[in-house]
Short mmCIF file of all heavy atoms in Angstrom, two decimals:
data_model
loop_
_atom_site.label_atom_id
_atom_site.label_comp_id
_atom_site.label_asym_id
_atom_site.label_seq_id
_atom_site.Cartn_x
_atom_site.Cartn_y
_atom_site.Cartn_z
N ASN B 89 157.66 -29.05 191.03
CA ASN B 89 157.75 -27.59 190.99
C ASN B 89 157.17 -26.81 192.16
O ASN B 89 157.76 -25.80 192.55
CB ASN B 89 157.18 -27.08 189.67
CG ASN B 89 158.28 -26.95 188.65
OD1 ASN B 89 159.00 -25.97 188.67
ND2 ASN B 89 158.45 -27.96 187.81
N PRO B 90 156.07 -27.25 192.75
CA PRO B 90 155.53 -26.46 193.86
C PRO B 90 156.49 -26.36 195.05
O PRO B 90 156.35 -25.48 195.88
CB PRO B 90 154.25 -27.21 194.25
CG PRO B 90 153.86 -27.90 193.01
CD PRO B 90 155.13 -28.28 192.35
N PHE B 91 157.48 -27.26 195.13
CA PHE B 91 158.39 -27.24 196.26
C PHE B 91 159.65 -26.44 195.98
O PHE B 91 160.60 -26.46 196.74
CB PHE B 91 158.73 -28.68 196.67
CG PHE B 91 157.51 -29.45 197.06
CD1 PHE B 91 157.00 -30.44 196.24
CD2 PHE B 91 156.85 -29.16 198.25
CE1 PHE B 91 155.86 -31.14 196.59
CE2 PHE B 91 155.70 -29.84 198.59
CZ PHE B 91 155.21 -30.84 197.76
N ARG B 92 159.65 -25.75 194.86
CA ARG B 92 160.82 -24.92 194.56
C ARG B 92 160.53 -23.47 194.91
O ARG B 92 159.42 -23.11 195.25
CB ARG B 92 161.13 -25.02 193.07
CG ARG B 92 161.52 -26.42 192.69
CD ARG B 92 162.02 -26.42 191.28
NE ARG B 92 162.42 -27.76 190.91
CZ ARG B 92 163.42 -28.01 190.09
NH1 ARG B 92 164.09 -27.03 189.56
NH2 ARG B 92 163.73 -29.25 189.81
N ASP B 93 161.56 -22.64 194.78
CA ASP B 93 161.38 -21.22 195.06
C ASP B 93 160.43 -20.62 194.04
O ASP B 93 160.16 -21.20 193.00
CB ASP B 93 162.73 -20.49 194.96
CG ASP B 93 163.65 -20.98 196.05
OD1 ASP B 93 163.11 -21.50 197.06
OD2 ASP B 93 164.87 -20.87 195.89
N ASN B 94 159.95 -19.45 194.38
CA ASN B 94 159.09 -18.75 193.43
C ASN B 94 159.85 -18.51 192.13
O ASN B 94 161.06 -18.35 192.13
CB ASN B 94 158.65 -17.41 194.01
CG ASN B 94 157.57 -17.63 195.05
OD1 ASN B 94 156.80 -18.58 194.96
ND2 ASN B 94 157.55 -16.78 196.06
N PRO B 95 159.12 -18.45 191.03
CA PRO B 95 159.81 -18.27 189.76
C PRO B 95 160.46 -16.89 189.70
O PRO B 95 159.93 -15.92 190.24
CB PRO B 95 158.68 -18.37 188.74
CG PRO B 95 157.45 -18.07 189.49
CD PRO B 95 157.68 -18.58 190.87
N THR B 96 161.60 -16.87 189.06
CA THR B 96 162.20 -15.56 188.83
C THR B 96 161.33 -14.83 187.82
O THR B 96 160.90 -15.44 186.84
CB THR B 96 163.61 -15.72 188.24
OG1 THR B 96 163.57 -16.79 187.31
CG2 THR B 96 164.62 -15.98 189.32
N PRO B 97 161.04 -13.55 188.05
CA PRO B 97 160.24 -12.84 187.07
C PRO B 97 160.96 -12.78 185.73
O PRO B 97 162.19 -12.82 185.69
CB PRO B 97 160.07 -11.45 187.70
CG PRO B 97 161.11 -11.36 188.74
CD PRO B 97 161.43 -12.73 189.18
N ILE B 98 160.17 -12.73 184.67
CA ILE B 98 160.79 -12.65 183.35
C ILE B 98 161.42 -11.27 183.24
O ILE B 98 160.74 -10.26 183.17
CB ILE B 98 159.75 -12.82 182.24
CG1 ILE B 98 159.00 -14.13 182.41
CG2 ILE B 98 160.41 -12.78 180.88
CD1 ILE B 98 157.80 -14.24 181.52
N THR B 99 162.73 -11.24 183.26
CA THR B 99 163.38 -9.93 183.21
C THR B 99 163.67 -9.56 181.77
O THR B 99 163.94 -10.41 180.93
CB THR B 99 164.69 -9.93 184.01
OG1 THR B 99 165.38 -11.12 183.69
CG2 THR B 99 164.41 -9.86 185.49
N ALA B 100 163.59 -8.27 181.53
CA ALA B 100 163.77 -7.80 180.17
C ALA B 100 165.24 -7.69 179.84
O ALA B 100 165.91 -6.74 180.19
CB ALA B 100 163.09 -6.46 180.03
#
Side-chain angles (χ1 to χ4, degrees):
Chain B
N89 267 280
F91 300 107
R92 296 189 179 214
D93 295 338
N94 284 330
T96 39
I98 304 169
T99 44

